[in-house]
Amino acid sequence: MNILCVGDIVGSPGRRIFASVVPELRRKYNVHAVIVNGENAAAGRGITGALAEELFAAGADVITLGDHVWDQKEAVNLLANDRRVIRPANFGPGCPGRGWTEFQTSLGPVAVVNLMGRTFMNPAENPFTVADSLLTGPIPRDRIVLFDFHAEATSEKICFGHYVDGRAAAVFGTHTHVQTADAAVLPGGTGFITDVGMCGPIHSVIGRSIEPVTKRFLSGMPTRFDVAGGPALFSACLFEIDRQRRCCTRAEAILLREDDPGLAH
């Protein structure tokens, strides 16, 4: 089973390249499932129902979120009514929606868990112990399980990968928008990448226009950060999963540029 995990969609440039690239990648790599982080899909802040449907129509099977989950008011209803969209499972018990879901592929069911780190992030329950509770509780023992670990600190992401090594098929980090060069299979058979990167404008500061971000660093004054324009970047990681052993046999980072003349549209 081949599962494509796609980095944070940032605004319209990210949605554009996702729709352009994913159908071809599905054919090229015989992809059976696509998981994408959509927490920046709405102009860089959150997601709406219409944008979720746009991503599903372009090839997504599950949309994960993160710290921007509540930036759009309609996200409450979206999460309450669509099992394909999930928010971090370690949010408080009163939050709408769910932190994990499962869906059918042509080769059988897959479970996806969304968690948020706590280092340099908003307050949340301990993602490590929440993962334990899910893996020993509601998630079926025979299920292929993937984690989107939405976190700032590379150390926390790496530690979590090793923590669930052998218990999850794959862990892909999101949130920092810069793809790391460490896609690998951990000793226990879990596919891992510290951060899968983003789908968003190339000439930007993690998706935002360069000038206002620079102004903020120079002056320290609050500044509006709009999504940049121009050609976009597509970042993802492809995990090859052994269905019988529910482990990863290969992890391959994918990085494509819209300004590459060899990129088919």
Side-chain angles (χ1 to χ4, degrees), residues 57-81:
D61 292 294
V62 171
I63 297 174
T64 56
L65 300 170
D67 55 304
H68 287 295
V69 58
W70 311 123
D71 286 2
Q72 301 295 324
K73 291 181 180 179
E74 65 179 273
V76 172
N77 288 332
L78 174 64
L79 282 158
N81 296 307

Side-chain angles (χ1 to χ4, degrees), residues 57-117:
D61 292 294
V62 171
I63 297 174
T64 56
L65 300 170
D67 55 304
H68 287 295
V69 58
W70 311 123
D71 286 2
Q72 301 295 324
K73 291 181 180 179
E74 65 179 273
V76 172
N77 288 332
L78 174 64
L79 282 158
N81 296 307
D82 197 329
R83 297 184 62 88
R84 299 171 297 172
V85 184
I86 58 176
R87 45 81 174 160
N90 56 325
F91 280 3
C95 289
R98 56 192 56 82
W100 75 280
T101 192
E102 59 180 350
F103 65 101
Q104 286 290 334
T105 75
S106 60
L107 296 180
V110 172
V112 181
V113 182
N114 196 181
L115 289 170
M116 192 170 76

Side-chain angles (χ1 to χ4, degrees), residues 71 80 127 130 135 179 223 240 246 252 263:
D71 286 2
V130 169
L135 291 171
Q179 188 180 90
T223 309
E240 181 182 272
R246 301 186 301 280
E252 178 185 347
L263 181 62

Side-chain angles (χ1 to χ4, degrees), residues 1-4 26 29-34 61 103-107:
M1 179 184 289
N2 296 317
I3 301 179
L4 185 69
R26 274 189 174 271
Y29 292 105
N30 190 26
V31 171
H32 300 97
V34 176
D61 292 294
F103 65 101
Q104 286 290 334
T105 75
S106 60
L107 296 180

Side-chain angles (χ1 to χ4, degrees), residues 6 43 62 99 141 159 179 182 189 213 218 243 259:
V6 183
V62 171
R141 303 294 188 276
C159 190
Q179 188 180 90
D182 62 344
V213 179
L218 287 171
R243 289 186 293 144
D259 59 358

